[in-house]
Amino acid sequence: MNCHSWKSSYTTTVLLVGSCCLGVLAVAAQQQQQSRSNSKLAGAFEFVLDFVRRKHSSHIDDDSATNGMQVLGAGFARSGTKSTEEALKILGHKVYDTRSMLEHSEHIPRWLRAAEDYKQHHNLTELESLLKDIEAEGYTATLDFPVNLFALPLAELRPNAKVLFTIRDNEEKWFESWSDITHLMGHLICRPWKWLIGNFDFPEQLLTILEDFPRTHSHYPEHIYRPLPWFEILHHPAIVDDPGQKERWIALHRDFQKRCQETLPPDRLLLFNVKQGWAPLLQFLGVDNAELRQHDFPNVNDRSSLQTVRWVMDVVAAGLPVWIALQSYLAYRIARCGVAMITSAATGFEKTKRA
Ligand SMILES: *[C@@H]1O[C@H](CO)[C@@H](O)[C@H](O)[C@H]1NC(C)=O
């Protein structure tokens, strides 16, 4: 093989990879048919990369502001937490949520230990030390499941912090949305993501420790479809689909809300539906901002961007061997060409010597 043929096959490979990427983009643009589809796709790629790298890119890195924890989110995922996060950021907060837990993966075993200690002995030592570390990084608010499960012990540790319980119109509506998003993002526990990301079950572990929620397991082939050996689709997530799970989740939501209402004085707890807009939130947090009060409350519906994320992840996952093979092929051709060049140089040298 000479380097000319290598060059032409290199060009072929580049064209092949390029057209694959273009194909992906074209189909995505067609699928979305929305003006923001490109930024959404870029966001989706960023999310996937962030997830694999366990990095949270969307918060402001201002570690200097250490005011301590001020707002404790008690609401579950899909109760308007993303819009609320946006609102809290506008108010200058730095929000600690599930993605922050993944970013600081060393926190995860500490959350689990803190949950055990609190549940078994009402011992808050580990939780307090973790909270101090989180505060030292400038976080001033917590949000979303599973950090919400710690709202009451955290409120005990920070008597000046306020508890924000985001809710939907009713629990049925909330569960529908929660179940829907669990179906959409449940593939994270499937191949190949479970090989790449590792176990993503700490939210369920915390749920079991703190709320005695029974553990469920999604198995192949009952819950998981495996079209390719390296690519699985979770079509029936046990945690929301198993018999009795809907009732369990709704009972948990209701009971948790009741416990918060019974434990906290009214001025420390706000049941907040994002439909109510800025006014109740500003009043609750003691923020006097007449201008903001006139503005629309942030409306982040991440359902469609998560749909894009899922779609991108499926394309990457299903084609995994193709991506790996293309890379390997390219490396092989480059190596072959290098060897060929060295060999021909050596032969040329031999010839010159003999002559
Ligand atoms: C609470 O837990 C910590 C370890 O997390 C332990 O060192 C401490 O002795 C415990 N306190 C009590 C009163 O049991």
Side-chain angles (χ1 to χ4, degrees), residues 22-250:
L22 280 178
V24 166
L25 284 171
V27 178
Q30 223 176 17
Q31 267 223 339
Q32 293 295 316
Q33 290 198 338
Q34 280 170 22
S35 55
R36 286 184 304 142
S37 68
N38 279 346
S39 67
K40 231 187 240 169
L41 192 71
F45 273 114
E46 194 197 10
F47 180 88
V48 173
L49 287 175
D50 275 4
F51 210 92
V52 174
R53 293 191 310 233
R54 300 193 167 187
K55 194 172 178 313
H56 194 329
S57 60
S58 58
H59 67 67
I60 318 143
D61 272 310
D62 180 13
D63 293 354
S64 57
T66 47
N67 299 318
M69 210 47 85
Q70 294 159 34
V71 181
L72 302 167
F76 287 85
R78 310 310 295 168
S79 61
T81 46
K82 285 287 165 289
S83 303
T84 306
E85 178 179 359
E86 216 44 52
L88 289 174
K89 280 184 187 164
I90 292 172
L91 296 175
H93 285 283
K94 183 170 171 181
V95 177
Y96 188 97
D97 61 6
T98 316
R99 286 179 74 182
S100 322
M101 290 173 97
L102 288 167
E103 183 195 349
H104 304 278
S105 52
E106 75 281 3
H107 286 178
I108 293 174
R110 296 178 66 190
W111 281 110
L112 289 166
R113 204 159 51 235
E116 297 270 7
D117 286 356
Y118 168 68
K119 189 66 183 180
Q120 284 170 11
H121 317 288
H122 201 95
N123 180 339
L124 294 173
T125 314
E126 179 62 33
L127 187 62
E128 174 141 50
S129 110
L130 182 54
L131 177 58
K132 278 181 183 156
D133 289 350
I134 290 169
E135 287 174 330
E137 302 222 18
Y139 289 100
T140 56
T142 61
L143 271 188
D144 222 340
F145 174 75
V147 195
N148 74 319
L149 300 176
F150 290 90
L152 286 175
L154 288 174
E156 197 174 323
L157 289 169
R158 293 291 175 270
N160 294 322
K162 298 201 164 188
V163 177
L164 182 62
F165 203 129
T166 43
I167 49 169
R168 296 284 284 264
D169 295 348
N170 56 60
E171 286 118 353
E172 287 274 333
K173 210 170 159 180
W174 164 74
F175 180 77
E176 260 169 45
S177 178
W178 173 229
S179 168
D180 171 56
I181 220 73
T182 307
H183 278 259
L184 187 61
M185 298 308 287
H187 67 295
L188 290 174
I189 63 161
C190 291
R191 296 178 183 178
W193 305 108
K194 71 172 180 191
W195 292 334
L196 297 170
I197 309 169
N199 251 355
F200 187 68
D201 69 345
F202 65 89
E204 260 197 271
Q205 286 184 51
L206 289 171
L207 194 60
T208 306
I209 298 169
L210 289 169
E211 299 294 334
D212 301 318
F213 210 79
R215 277 306 286 270
T216 59
H217 296 281
S218 297
H219 296 290
Y220 170 83
E222 298 96 313
H223 307 91
I224 293 170
Y225 169 55
R226 190 178 290 164
L228 298 162
W230 61 87
F231 176 48
E232 294 176 337
I233 293 169
L234 179 66
H235 58 79
H236 180 96
I239 189 151
V240 288
D241 277 11
D242 270 5
Q245 285 302 99
K246 177 179 178 178
E247 293 70 24
R248 247 174 233 130
W249 276 107
I250 287 180

